[in-house]
Amino acid sequence: LLPMKEFFRLQREKLGWHWEFGRNRYMWMGTSKGCVKHCTYCSSGTLQPFYKSPRQVIDEIKHYIDTYQVRHFDFIDSEFTVNVKRAKEICRLLIEEQLNITWVAHNIIELVDEEMMRLMGEAGCIKLKYGLETADPDIQKRILKPWTMTQAKKAFALTKKYGMQAQANFMVGFLGETRHSLKLTHRAFR
C-alpha cells in the first residue's frame, strides 16, 4: 500500500543518503518483531518474538530487487541474530541464490560465533551494529546486558575478519551512572 515511487523519490531528494549505502537506493527490512532479551530500557523484550521464515525474507528481498531494483538493505530487527538458526539459514539462502546484495544489521555480542560471521560476510553483510550500551559491570547487571569484554573483543575481531565493519552503540544517562562509569566505557572502547 505504500506508494513506492514516492518513497524512493523522497529517499533520493529528502533523505539524501544512508550511513552505509550513500546515495544508493535502499530498503529497510523488518524480518522479526520482539526479542528474547529483556534489557530494562527496551520495549522489544515485552513482545513475544515473531519471525518471518527464511524463505519469506528471501522472497521479499527478491521482490524488492525485481520490482524496484534495490540492492541495499538495512535489517531493522531489534537483533537480527537473536534466532541463530534462522539467521544462518537466511544467510545460506542469500549465498545459494546469489542475490548479490549488501546489507547491515544489529547483532548480539553474546551470540557471535565464527560460522555466523563467515556466513554473514559471504551473504553480503557490510556492517554489524552492536548495542553495548555501557562497559560498567554494575550498570550492565541493572539493565540486563550481560556481555563481557572478552566477548566484545571476539565479536569485533570476527566481524572484521570476515570483511564487515563493527559499530558499537552506547547509551548514557542510566540510573546510577557516574563519571567513573562513563570513564570505564570510554576507556574500554577508545
Side-chain angles (χ1 to χ4, degrees), residues 45-183:
T46 63
L47 301 171
Q48 180 67 33
F50 166 81
Y51 309 102
K52 291 179 183 175
S53 73
R55 177 47 50 200
Q56 286 174 308
V57 173
I58 298 305
D59 288 347
E60 190 172 339
I61 289 170
K62 284 179 169 180
H63 170 74
Y64 290 124
I65 292 170
D66 295 342
T67 309
Y68 304 108
Q69 298 73 53
V70 173
R71 290 264 170 218
H72 309 283
F73 295 87
D74 189 337
F75 287 86
I76 58 170
D77 306 36
S78 292
E79 304 294 349
F80 179 74
T81 60
V82 76
N83 182 326
V84 174
K85 181 180 177 187
R86 174 185 164 274
K88 287 180 180 179
E89 184 59 24
I90 291 170
C91 290
R92 285 186 189 101
L93 288 170
L94 286 169
I95 295 164
E96 286 171 18
E97 301 202 17
Q98 300 177 1
L99 296 182
N100 194 28
I101 64 169
T102 60
W103 53 283
V104 298
H106 295 270
N107 202 0
I108 299 174
I109 289 289
E110 306 94 287
L111 297 180
V112 167
D113 68 46
E114 187 139 4
E115 180 188 23
M116 176 69 80
M117 296 298 100
R118 180 185 57 75
L119 287 168
M120 292 178 107
E122 283 182 39
C125 183
I126 60 171
K127 183 186 235 181
L128 290 172
K129 303 168 189 179
Y130 294 99
L132 301 177
E133 318 326 350
T134 181
D136 182 324
D138 293 332
I139 294 176
Q140 284 178 328
K141 285 178 193 166
R142 269 188 249 134
I143 65 172
L144 304 178
K145 285 293 260 194
W147 62 270
T148 66
M149 192 56 69
T150 302
Q151 288 171 318
K153 287 179 180 178
K154 173 189 172 192
F156 278 67
L158 286 173
T159 301
K160 291 175 185 175
K161 177 179 177 180
Y162 290 102
M164 299 171 281
Q165 294 177 344
Q167 175 179 312
N169 295 329
F170 298 98
M171 298 175 111
V172 296
F174 290 113
L175 289 176
E177 194 168 65
T178 64
R179 288 183 190 270
H180 173 71
S181 56
L182 287 173
K183 285 181 183 176

Side-chain angles (χ1 to χ4, degrees), residues 3-31:
M4 296 304 287
K5 188 174 181 180
E6 181 68 3
F7 172 76
F8 290 121
R9 184 189 69 76
L10 289 171
Q11 190 182 88
R12 185 180 63 252
E13 294 174 11
K14 303 290 185 203
L15 299 176
W17 62 280
H18 185 277
W19 287 101
E20 289 81 25
F21 309 130
R23 292 197 169 278
N24 294 308
R25 186 178 279 204
Y26 64 90
M27 180 58 66
W28 288 297
M29 289 284 298
T31 73

